[in-house]
Amino acid sequence: MEPAGDFIRALPKAELHLHIEGTLEPQMAFQLAARHGMALPYPSVEALQQAYDFRDLQSFLDVYYAGAAVLRDERDFHDLTSAYLRRAHADGVVHAEIFFDPQTHTARGVALEAVIGGIGSALREAERELGLSHRLILCFLRHLSEDEAMRTLEQALPHLQAITGVGLDSAECGNPPGRFARVFERARALGLKAVAHAGEEGPASYIREALDVLKVSRIDHGVRSEQDPQLLARLVHERMPLTVCPLSNVRLRVFERMEDHNLGRLLAAGLCVTVNSDDPAYFGGYVADNYVAVQRALGLSREQIVQLAANSIEASFLPDAQKKAWQERIRVVAGAA
Ligand code: HPA
Ligand code: ZN
């Protein structure tokens, strides 16, 4: 039997929870800093990597926002996105729905046009050259105000054709989804889809709020849903996808060890669980590494791995005909193995 990693990479998959700023590898951070004549507060790639020892979500966010300072112009965003898409393609990702945090960049004086222009040209290139399809999701930073989120949405209006949905990320505890009710309502009225991080560090009640108030189509993370049996039953009944990020959860101490992760139980309970990499440059692996890590730690079967890949296509924003074609391809690959 071939190693699990080869089988996992061969399966067509969608990646649905990926922050493009979280794909900034230390080597690229140094390259971009040199390009702009900037000094990083670390003497070497190794020293920077050693800073990736996180206690919780906030200790990660501090490093992640500091790292983003080297992203200054359209070419930087293009190169960052292009590098991620090549890595994802090598892992068998056929469709990527990518988050970006405009406020992290506009607050530093970087034009939204440079951000969307650079990410967008790399996405179109990957579609042409690698056959990798995509969607782009604009995330609001929840540690900032709803008014600031609303201004960001207004700024994005000329770029709506490039954007499929809005999301909500950054520091979860103390920043419940309900605080962003108006901006999500406006986004939905504009025809945008909605997703939100909920139940990563925050309570299960934030997941309910994301569903009821923000009317999301997916929950990002959502692992704390297990604390609320009624909510779990609802997620199963509505087949509401969770975009779970196993390596992220262990690195940010949501679970102490991968063996403690509840992904296997959520999957067995009938939830539409998907596996994703979140911020792969910071958490020690891209999407196939995440599949391999949970497969090993939880002893997932081949059928469960195939189910996770099939769930990722089902939970995507692809049109039904394309979903059907990928599901058929997954069955062929799984059957041939
Ligand atoms: N949670 C919240 N905000 C984030 C994350 C995350 O996992 N990654 C990047 N921004
Ligand atoms: Zn995330």
Side-chain angles (χ1 to χ4, degrees):
M1 201 170 88
E2 91 265 51
D6 290 351
F7 177 62
I8 287 164
R9 285 188 174 80
L11 281 172
K13 292 174 288 298
E15 174 142 65
L16 306 176
H17 186 153
L18 181 282
H19 302 264
I20 200 64
E21 295 88 352
T23 68
L24 179 66
E25 291 286 348
Q27 290 83 350
M28 186 176 277
F30 274 89
Q31 263 172 25
L32 296 185
R35 185 184 278 180
H36 298 298
M38 295 165 71
L40 288 179
Y42 300 93
S44 65
V45 165
E46 292 71 30
L48 178 54
Q49 269 162 339
Q50 273 159 24
Y52 296 177
D53 180 20
F54 309 117
R55 287 183 309 285
D56 53 15
L57 176 58
Q58 188 60 54
S59 66
F60 156 69
L61 290 171
D62 293 342
V63 174
Y64 163 84
Y65 294 131
V70 300
L71 298 165
R72 304 191 65 85
D73 59 27
E74 184 163 337
R75 184 175 157 214
D76 301 340
F77 285 94
H78 175 277
D79 293 354
L80 178 74
T81 307
S82 203
Y84 160 69
L85 291 166
R86 279 165 210 290
R87 276 299 302 261
H89 177 66
D91 274 4
V93 172
V94 297
H95 176 72
E97 302 195 351
I98 293 179
F99 296 141
F100 73 114
D101 290 337
Q103 288 158 293
T104 301
H105 313 301
T106 53
R108 299 179 288 116
V110 176
L112 187 61
E113 287 64 32
V115 179
I116 295 179
I119 296 173
S121 63
L123 289 171
R124 289 189 297 277
E125 234 171 67
E127 181 131 39
R128 267 197 322 273
E129 294 173 10
L130 309 172
L132 206 163
S133 57
H134 59 264
R135 298 289 186 272
L136 193 54
I137 298 174
L138 182 160
C139 283
F140 303 117
L141 298 180
R142 72 202 303 161
H143 68 274
L144 301 177
S145 71
E146 187 181 40
D147 284 347
E148 285 165 284
M150 196 66 95
R151 277 199 289 280
T152 302
L153 182 58
E154 298 297 331
Q155 272 176 20
L157 289 180
H159 307 284
L160 275 195
Q161 81 292 340
I163 295 165
T164 297
V166 293
L168 188 64
D169 63 4
S170 191
E172 187 182 7
C173 292
N175 294 306
R179 215 157 64 68
F180 295 87
R182 286 185 311 122
V183 71
F184 269 68
E185 193 179 336
R186 169 110 173 93
R188 290 195 320 277
L190 289 164
L192 295 167
K193 309 256 191 219
V195 299
H197 284 54
E200 177 187 18
E201 280 190 347
S205 63
Y206 284 18
I207 301 174
R208 288 181 180 277
E209 232 176 272
L211 295 170
D212 294 333
V213 182
L214 305 187
K215 306 199 187 314
V216 295
S217 306
R218 297 194 292 250
I219 296 287
D220 295 315
H221 294 296
V223 291
R224 300 216 175 206
S225 56
E226 209 180 20
Q227 295 164 349
D228 180 340
Q230 276 186 345
L231 173 63
L232 262 193
R234 174 179 176 186
L235 296 172
V236 172
H237 179 71
E238 294 179 6
R239 207 148 169 78
M240 177 60 58
L242 302 187
T243 63
V244 177
C245 307
L247 287 171
S248 164
N249 291 155
V250 174
R251 293 296 286 266
L252 301 187
R253 315 231 183 136
V254 173
F255 298 98
E256 207 177 308
R257 305 171 313 152
M258 194 59 85
E259 288 76 11
D260 303 327
H261 203 290
N262 65 1
L263 178 140
R265 290 197 298 275
L266 295 172
L267 197 60
L271 270 89
C272 184
V273 177
T274 67
V275 169
N276 308 272
S277 68
D278 207 3
D279 302 283
Y282 293 92
F283 299 148
Y286 286 76
V287 72
D289 303 314
N290 276 271
Y291 274 77
V292 169
V294 277
Q295 192 278 326
R296 286 208 185 123
L298 306 179
L300 298 186
S301 67
R302 189 173 270 256
E303 289 69 31
Q304 286 174 304
I305 294 293
V306 173
Q307 182 71 55
L308 289 168
N311 287 352
S312 75
I313 299 294
E314 177 188 339
S316 74
F317 294 134
L318 281 170
D320 286 346
Q322 280 183 49
K323 288 188 186 183
K324 247 184 102 181
W326 283 124
Q327 300 293 18
E328 182 52 35
R329 182 77 201 135
I330 288 173
R331 277 193 290 278
V332 169
V333 172

